[in-house]
Amino acid sequence: MNPTRLLQMSPAEIGTRARQAFSQRWGKPPACRLVRPSAALAFPDPAPYGHGEAERICEHHFDLLGYKDLDFSTPIDWHFDPVHQKRAPRKPWYQIPFLDFEQVGDHKIIWELNRHQHLVTLAQAGFRDEILAQWTHWQSENPYPIGINWASTLEVAFRALSWLWVRSIIGDFHDDLPPALHLHGWHIERYLSTYFSPNTHLLGEGVALFAIGLLCPEIAEAPRWRKRGWRIVLKQAETQVLPDGFHFEQSVYYHIYARDFFEFARDLAAKNSIAIPPSFDRTIEKMNAALAALSQAGRPPNFGDDDGGRVIRSPARPLAPSPARPVGGIYSMTDPRSQLFIDAGPQGAFSAGHGHADALSIQLITDGRPVLIDPGTFCYVCPERDRFRGTAAHNTLQVDGRDQAQPKGPFAWTNLPETTVDRWHTSETVDLFAGQHNGYYPVIHHRWVFGLKSKFWLVRDLVSGPGRHRLDISWHYLDERDIAIQPTAAHNWSQSTERWDWSPVYGKKEPAYVLRFSTETELPAEFAVLLTPSEPGTFTQTKPGAYRYEDTHGVHEFVFSSGGFVYRRDNVTEFPL
């Protein structure tokens, strides 16, 4: 371990990590001690299933993440990545470098199968014999502590939740189920991600510990697990959710993911008469309101990682409508059909493992369709990881071909930028955003966005600082017919359009494009585009910081300065700030 990191640890963290390291090598799971028969307790209702999907599962063909019809052979190879034709080694889990793509392949694909969420589908379809065959085979192929499927405590937690769900549907399908759940509970408690990944990992582990403890009262340790798991869930509701209701990892997907865990735990508690603190309900309500604020055009934007997995859960409660407001540093300009988003929040909690280098990036959703897009995640450990999460993959400005932060492994960044919001105004007719970030210090990127509701958006970039630099501004989109991206007439930047795939779900690529404006120049430098869903008019720059746009609605003039902003239509000042 890095000596600097060691010096930053508290005595509690050092002690916990030391105990976990010792237990990995010399700790032995205790025997399962049953104390009384299982009580009849309630589990949340599973989501609907498709009978055709259940039949494909019986043939060992699976749709996982963005991959379709993956064949894991017969019997199932529980350690295999069929996409990249790689197999994880059979050795103790703590010796497996699961982030090493060359040795393991994509561990996410292996783990997605081993979450056993497909067994819930089989249980709903009544395929008890297939469940029994797969479950017993898994036990023989994954003897503790051998194999990659013990290497992540969160994955152990997911698998335990799946088994509990199957048990709630078809009952105790094997005599060894209670001991197997005991082993999972022991492993989760022993290797909680308290310091390793105190985010959705720790939250999911707490949910599973709570569920095993609540639903397996015949296990001697159950009362302790129930109390500890519930305590973890309630604590994470306080620490992982920001005051405005957004999840602290700055990923819209992980916000939904965390909310699902909280909803699931709440439903489980309510069905079994566990007292629910009012503050916990308020946290879930704030998360729902935050998601509603980001989804007014039919779907939320895709800032940050999205790995495609989902929590098996009861149906979510309806989202209440919410006015447009900043959520997690994401500012939205909303009209009846569209939402334009500007990312002005931090890159993420801790080392921003699930954040992207996308400060001041813009996305546009119209009628539920992505128009100006974030290219997505695609993978976590493959060679394209940094390409999809880097600055060039987002609708923002890049200096000298650099990322705004420097990647450090697949789940960390260093030299994170600081973003400052200078102005924000929203009304029934116009919106104005002004912000800056220091990711290229001493060069500073300033961005203004002015929106005239249901008409157009003007985006002006100013780059200040010393010296001569290469500047690139990217605009990623799916279909050029959805939006006109219009630079000023007679600009002197180069302009190119190229293919740049996007990943709508983990592991899947689809065609997309990027329009890029580039120059090499002395600073300061500025550039502006006008975004319009209709036929564009004439857009010109009249002097530094001043622009004119003429369309069928009139003549629009915009003047930006360090002291403010003025918008005039047909020579009448409509918006001074």
Side-chain angles (χ1 to χ4, degrees):
M1 179 176 292
N2 188 320
T4 302
R5 176 70 182 93
L6 186 62
L7 291 172
Q8 295 171 343
M9 292 182 184
S10 67
E13 180 175 356
I14 292 172
T16 297
R17 287 183 178 273
R19 286 192 296 272
Q20 289 181 342
F22 180 89
S23 182
Q24 287 173 3
R25 290 156 179 80
W26 294 286
K28 301 295 181 184
C32 177
R33 186 164 63 91
L34 302 181
V35 295
R36 60 187 173 91
S38 175
L41 296 169
F43 209 67
D45 296 327
Y49 76 99
H51 198 276
E53 180 186 2
E55 291 179 336
R56 290 198 309 275
I57 291 170
C58 290
E59 298 170 354
H60 303 167
H61 286 242
F62 299 86
D63 294 342
L64 301 175
L65 307 168
Y67 301 104
K68 299 296 183 182
D69 201 33
L70 295 181
D71 185 355
F72 284 86
S73 75
T74 300
I76 292 174
D77 190 338
W78 300 103
H79 305 262
F80 186 54
D81 167 6
V83 176
H84 305 99
Q85 294 293 301
K86 294 179 183 292
R87 184 172 287 103
R90 302 290 187 95
K91 59 174 67 174
W93 61 265
Y94 49 83
Q95 296 178 7
I96 298 175
F98 57 82
L99 296 180
D100 188 330
F101 181 76
E102 293 304 319
Q103 287 193 51
V104 173
D106 190 342
H107 64 282
K108 177 69 181 169
I109 298 170
I110 301 172
W111 284 349
E112 195 71 19
L113 176 69
N114 284 272
R115 288 181 174 186
H116 283 185
Q117 293 174 327
H118 65 277
L119 296 186
V120 179
T121 300
L122 292 177
Q124 291 175 282
F127 292 128
R128 185 187 183 95
D129 290 345
E130 180 65 21
I131 293 171
L132 186 62
Q134 290 195 24
W135 192 85
T136 54
H137 181 251
W138 189 93
Q139 299 298 323
S140 67
E141 291 294 297
N142 295 271
Y144 194 84
I146 303 301
I148 192 173
N149 295 313
W150 296 102
S152 166
T153 309
L154 177 61
E155 299 305 316
V156 176
F158 264 114
R159 191 162 51 247
L161 288 172
S162 296
W163 294 355
L164 288 170
W165 217 316
V166 172
R167 186 193 200 195
S168 74
I169 298 171
I170 65 173
D172 284 327
F173 52 87
H174 197 285
D175 290 344
D176 288 338
L177 180 59
L181 285 166
H182 171 266
L183 175 59
H184 278 56
W186 174 86
H187 184 94
I188 293 166
E189 184 180 40
R190 182 61 60 97
Y191 301 109
L192 284 166
S193 299
T194 308
Y195 299 106
F196 173 69
S197 294
N199 44 33
T200 47
H201 281 245
L202 182 58
L203 171 58
E205 293 156 16
V207 170
L209 204 61
F210 171 57
I212 299 171
L214 179 64
L215 299 174
C216 300
E218 72 273 25
I219 296 176
E221 294 91 340
R224 184 179 75 246
W225 293 347
R226 183 185 70 235
K227 292 178 182 177
R228 189 171 186 184
W230 187 231
R231 189 166 61 246
I232 289 170
V233 171
L234 297 181
K235 180 64 175 177
Q236 297 315 301
E238 296 175 357
T239 60
Q240 294 194 24
V241 183
L242 301 173
D244 64 5
F246 199 59
H247 190 253
F248 72 163
E249 290 207 83
Q250 295 298 132
S251 158
V252 175
Y253 160 73
Y254 273 85
H255 173 89
I256 298 170
Y257 187 41
R259 186 205 63 161
D260 289 347
F261 269 132
F262 289 131
E263 290 268 14
F264 175 86
R266 188 203 183 280
D267 288 349
L268 186 59
K271 285 180 177 291
N272 293 283
S273 302
I274 302 294
I276 300 169
S279 60
F280 187 51
D281 273 341
R282 286 195 296 271
T283 294
I284 295 175
E285 289 166 3
K286 287 195 302 181
M287 296 187 80
N288 283 336
L291 183 58
L294 295 174
S295 306
Q296 295 179 76
R299 61 182 289 165
N302 192 34
F303 292 108
D305 276 344
D306 179 350
D307 68 19
R310 292 296 184 267
V311 180
I312 44 176
R313 61 188 187 277
S314 55
R317 290 177 287 179
L319 298 177
S322 175
R325 60 184 176 86
V327 172
I330 300 172
Y331 289 74
S332 61
M333 298 183 174
T334 306
D335 63 42
R337 295 184 56 207
S338 300
Q339 266 189 295
L340 182 138
F341 303 93
I342 306 135
D343 184 2
Q347 195 160 322
F350 310 118
S351 58
H354 288 298
H356 291 185
D358 59 356
L360 300 184
S361 180
I362 287 173
Q363 291 182 49
L364 176 63
I365 309 287
T366 299
D367 293 335
R369 173 178 168 79
V371 176
L372 296 174
I373 62 170
D374 178 304
T377 300
F378 183 61
C379 66
Y380 278 162
V381 294
C382 74
E384 292 187 86
R385 168 64 165 158
D386 289 342
R387 179 174 183 267
F388 272 85
R389 64 175 179 159
T391 301
H394 299 85
N395 300 319
T396 188
L397 179 140
Q398 193 174 24
V399 177
D400 297 328
R402 297 161 49 198
D403 286 325
Q404 297 164 350
Q406 284 67 58
K408 185 182 179 182
F411 296 108
W413 297 87
T414 61
N415 301 321
L416 299 175
E418 295 178 357
T419 302
T420 302
V421 177
D422 300 313
R423 296 181 180 86
W424 170 244
H425 173 89
T426 184
S427 70
E428 292 184 1
T429 56
V430 299
D431 299 307
L432 177 68
F433 169 90
Q436 58 181 288
H437 76 84
N438 64 355
Y440 305 114
Y441 187 82
V443 173
I444 304 297
H445 173 208
H446 309 257
R447 172 163 274 187
W448 284 262
V449 184
F450 172 79
L452 182 62
K453 301 283 189 180
S454 302
K455 300 294 188 300
F456 59 76
W457 300 269
L458 185 151
V459 182
R460 177 191 181 235
D461 291 298
L462 173 67
V463 188
S464 62
R468 185 178 184 86
H469 298 274
R470 177 180 173 83
L471 309 177
D472 297 280
I473 303 173
S474 299
W475 293 101
H476 295 261
Y477 60 92
L478 294 178
D479 190 328
E480 63 181 4
R481 294 169 295 184
D482 291 334
I483 189 79
I485 306 170
Q486 184 178 7
T488 57
H491 71 85
N492 60 359
W493 290 41
S494 66
Q495 179 175 331
S496 63
T497 301
E498 62 185 79
R499 173 80 171 263
W500 189 298
D501 290 338
W502 82 305
S503 178
V505 64
Y506 188 100
K508 184 177 183 180
K509 291 182 186 179
E510 292 184 355
Y513 304 90
V514 58
L515 172 62
R516 186 168 288 118
F517 299 99
S518 305
T519 190
E520 185 170 330
T521 184
E522 295 285 337
L523 302 185
E526 70 174 296
F527 193 80
V529 297
L530 195 126
L531 310 171
T532 176
S534 57
E535 189 68 26
T538 303
F539 184 42
T540 57
Q541 182 172 5
T542 57
K543 63 180 180 179
Y547 299 86
R548 185 179 188 274
Y549 179 58
E550 185 173 356
D551 65 0
T552 56
H553 301 286
V555 176
H556 312 267
E557 296 175 282
F558 318 89
V559 180
F560 299 88
S561 68
S562 58
F565 168 78
V566 174
Y567 166 61
R568 300 186 187 95
R569 177 155 54 179
D570 296 328
N571 292 318
V572 177
T573 298
E574 295 198 358
F575 182 76
L577 182 64

